[in-house]
Amino acid sequence: MKRWITLAAGVVLVLVGAVWVLQGIGVITGSFMTGQKLWFLIGLAAFLVGVVLIAANFTRRKPTS
């Protein structure tokens, strides 16, 4: 996979995960996800996967040609 695709996917997962976490704990209101522990956990998982993808993108060595 190209590096920019991995980076973009990581950034999207971090942003979406953060919103879901905030909805899950009730900071962001107005949704069926507000105050639901399930969405907090799903958001936390998405956030962490995004962080791993971003970190892997910056620690991966460029292939030599």
Side-chain angles (χ1 to χ4, degrees):
M1 199 180 320
K2 299 229 181 239
R3 289 177 58 128
W4 69 270
I5 294 173
T6 307
L7 180 61
V11 169
V12 167
L13 281 171
V14 164
L15 293 175
V16 170
V19 169
W20 287 347
V21 164
L22 292 173
Q23 285 180 324
I25 61 175
V27 173
I28 299 176
T29 60
S31 172
F32 67 93
M33 295 186 277
T34 301
Q36 299 293 318
K37 184 178 180 180
L38 175 64
W39 286 105
F40 168 75
L41 296 173
I42 292 171
L44 186 60
F47 184 85
L48 293 175
V49 169
V51 168
V52 168
L53 286 176
I54 292 170
N57 189 49
F58 286 112
T59 59
R60 188 180 312 151
R61 294 181 184 172
K62 291 184 180 182
T64 57
S65 43

